[in-house]
Amino acid sequence: MSVLRMTLAVCGVVVLSASGCGSDSLSGSTPSTSTSSSQPTAGGSTDPELAAALPAKIKTAGKITVGVDATYPPNEFLQGGKTVAGMDVDVFNAVAKKFGVTVDWQPAGFDTIITGVQSGKYDMGISSFTINDKRKAQVNMVSYFNAGTQWATAAGNPKKVDPADACGKTIAVQKGTTQLEDDLPVKQAACKKAGKPEIKLIIREKQDAATADVATGKADAMLADSPVVLYAAKQSQGKIEALGDIYDAAPYGYVVPKAETDFAAALAKALKAIDADGSYKTALSTWGNESGAITDFAVNP
């Protein structure tokens, strides 16, 4: 979402709070916090051509208002309980610099952000949104990063979980994520077809609870987006470890109103500019996420 890292301690283990980056939900929910944060931008100088492509509302305000579920470290989270920080924040602050505007980060419930963009409450949504056909039918999406699914268990994998065959295991997952809505149903169907016990799901509103389930032994494993799981493992002081390979890699995308096609194209161009001047890779490396860098920034890929 450079800035200091914030962690959340649960049951003696530093765990993560997630916004369900892969969520397909568009329904409303209670925002995670009402705190907003406007941060200065970083990166190179303003590009007049990009500044001219801003929607009139943003030009007048001099800022881009962004809806974000700031509960998903290291991508986006609240630092000190009030300032939105993280990988996505660092990358987009550099993008905003190219437009010559600041960013007003508005924390919100993950599944309210797309509807907030559609209604005009937010100029954009940035919250580790995986690009998929359902979302592209609702809004424009501009690719900026690549992430996949990663599993995790308690250290040593004491329950001998196999991500390819988790039948009969207890798995924690966040509500609304692609892991819950797309991945696990396929695995459940395979268990049923093979005559094996179904996967027992613990479905949580936020990722921190799912991570705590693994740390405390309530769940045998969890699965979530790779940057989040790898960060959780790193911050857990050896109590949680990644399991297996990252798979089903897909791009994250900025959420932009469907009518704002010129703005979406300008965002892709701005991303190319921060890639060229080095600020894109610098932002990713701050959070150990260089492996997710892309070069084919595009609208609705």
Side-chain angles (χ1 to χ4, degrees), residues 51-204:
L54 286 170
K57 176 184 174 183
I58 297 175
K59 287 180 183 177
T60 300
K63 66 182 181 180
I64 300 175
T65 300
V66 178
V68 58
D69 185 346
T71 61
Y72 207 51
N75 297 359
E76 47 265 328
F77 59 91
L78 285 179
Q79 174 186 304
K82 61 181 181 179
T83 302
V84 182
M87 179 195 77
D88 278 350
V89 174
D90 287 354
V91 170
F92 192 69
N93 280 344
V95 167
K97 179 66 176 179
K98 296 297 182 184
F99 288 100
V101 294
T102 59
V103 187
D104 183 8
W105 297 95
Q106 290 285 333
F110 182 79
D111 51 4
T112 70
I113 295 172
I114 288 180
T115 51
V117 171
Q118 291 175 312
S119 70
K121 181 177 182 179
Y122 311 120
D123 298 318
M124 294 176 56
I126 302 176
S127 204
S128 304
F129 284 97
T130 300
I131 296 176
N132 58 35
D133 291 340
K134 181 178 180 179
R135 290 187 177 128
K136 288 191 289 184
Q138 300 288 328
V139 292
N140 289 308
M141 300 199 76
V142 183
S143 58
Y144 67 93
F145 185 78
N146 211 42
T149 291
Q150 176 77 66
W151 286 60
T153 66
N157 192 9
K159 297 299 182 66
K160 307 303 179 187
V161 177
D162 178 359
D165 181 6
C167 305
K169 302 298 185 182
T170 300
I171 306 301
V173 64
Q174 191 202 354
K175 178 183 178 182
T177 59
T178 55
Q179 286 80 23
L180 176 62
E181 298 187 0
D182 298 332
D183 189 1
L184 286 169
V186 174
K187 289 179 167 53
Q188 287 282 37
C191 293
K192 183 176 180 179
K193 184 176 181 180
K196 296 181 178 180
E198 68 176 9
I199 299 170
K200 303 168 188 174
L201 298 178
I202 300 177
I203 301 171
R204 296 298 195 182

Side-chain angles (χ1 to χ4, degrees), residues 260-280:
E260 299 289 359
T261 54
D262 290 344
F263 182 35
L267 286 166
K269 184 176 179 180
L271 283 160
K272 293 174 184 176
I274 67 168
D275 186 27
D277 70 20
S279 51
Y280 173 66

